[in-house]
Amino acid sequence: MGPREQCTSPQEQVTERHVPKSSSPTRIAMSSNPLPTSRTQLLALYGEAMLAAQEFEEALAGLLGVRRELALIAADELTEEVQEELERLWNSLFTRTAGSLRNELGLAGGLGIAVDKAIDARNLLAHHYLRDRAVRLSQDCLEGGDLGRLETTTERFRHLAQRLDVERFAAMHEAGLTDDEVTTPGEARRIRYYDPRLDDEVPPEPFED
């Protein structure tokens, strides 16, 4: 069966973990080696899939933000107060979950179904995917199918983000405006595209005080 035949069982793993290091010089030497190839590949592809999921979430926020900005522009002139309201609006969108963005957008038809599936896929990746494969990751017992499915997942997130961007541009076009006159997600989330060559503001790190 290929890679599976080379894997130790969970019981064998537990036994190995309890061997004193002093009596297992080979095990000590192996521990300094790089991560096994299939594990490294899967974790890299997982990171790429999560990046694509974030791009999908940003496209959701972008579509909702433009819809709401266009409504404000139609109702009022772009006074200082309206500009401040727009800034608060965009800042709030990036703190919301994909599910709440989806609910407010109310997308219908095939696009709505695709968004629902993508949100389920994003949540599975974020909360379950690696833990569901913890034993196989620890044993470097991964299969080509795992890697291929992650690549497909990344492609689907990015394709859906493009479809949402098309909807955003269509809304602007209907209002007779371009992205030079309406806020784009990239402009609203400027610090999230930190470039150390150009930017003074550094994006936050996890658990940063």
Side-chain angles (χ1 to χ4, degrees):
M1 294 174 60
R4 285 184 180 273
E5 294 177 352
Q6 301 171 12
C7 297
T8 57
S9 68
Q11 291 79 8
E12 289 172 323
Q13 264 208 322
V14 170
T15 302
E16 287 184 10
R17 289 193 188 114
H18 287 81
V19 174
K21 289 186 177 181
S22 59
S23 64
S24 182
T26 303
R27 191 169 177 77
I28 294 174
M30 290 177 62
S31 66
S32 63
N33 288 340
L35 290 173
T37 300
S38 66
R39 175 187 168 98
T40 305
Q41 286 180 324
L42 184 129
L43 292 177
L45 288 171
Y46 174 82
E48 190 71 23
M50 285 304 298
L51 173 60
Q54 291 175 11
E55 292 167 359
F56 155 68
E57 290 175 316
E58 183 167 299
L60 279 176
L63 176 56
L64 180 55
V66 162
R67 283 185 177 181
R68 291 176 63 177
E69 181 168 331
L70 291 173
L72 283 172
I73 291 173
D76 297 287
E77 293 184 4
L78 285 179
T79 62
E80 184 176 344
E81 290 77 12
V82 172
Q83 293 282 12
E84 290 174 355
E85 185 175 351
L86 284 174
E87 185 174 349
R88 288 192 297 271
L89 159 68
W90 280 103
N91 286 337
S92 70
L93 289 175
F94 295 121
T95 66
R96 293 175 56 177
T97 65
S100 72
L101 296 170
R102 178 265 320 275
N103 291 341
E104 186 168 346
L105 280 168
L107 298 170
L111 182 57
I113 292 171
V115 166
D116 287 345
K117 289 182 177 179
I119 290 172
D120 289 342
R122 179 265 174 213
N123 291 339
L124 187 149
L125 281 176
H127 302 298
H128 304 290
Y129 185 87
L130 292 181
R131 287 188 296 178
D132 288 347
R133 289 156 180 78
V135 171
R136 289 195 287 149
L137 277 167
S138 67
Q139 297 176 355
D140 191 23
C141 189
L142 301 160
E143 300 175 342
D146 294 305
L147 308 182
R149 282 187 288 272
L150 275 178
E151 290 176 329
T152 299
T153 295
T154 298
E155 291 170 2
R156 291 184 66 171
F157 277 133
R158 289 192 166 138
H159 177 68
L160 185 52
Q162 291 173 354
R163 290 177 65 185
L164 291 165
D165 284 342
V166 168
E167 290 289 315
R168 177 166 60 87
F169 285 118
M172 291 189 294
H173 179 74
E174 186 176 344
L177 299 172
T178 69
D179 57 2
D180 292 327
E181 302 164 285
V182 180
T183 308
T184 67
E187 291 167 342
R189 198 170 184 167
R190 185 176 61 255
I191 193 173
R192 303 301 184 185
Y193 296 101
Y194 169 65
D195 184 338
R197 300 167 301 176
L198 305 173
D199 300 328
D200 295 326
E201 290 184 282
V202 179
E205 297 287 347
F207 297 107
E208 187 175 59
D209 293 329

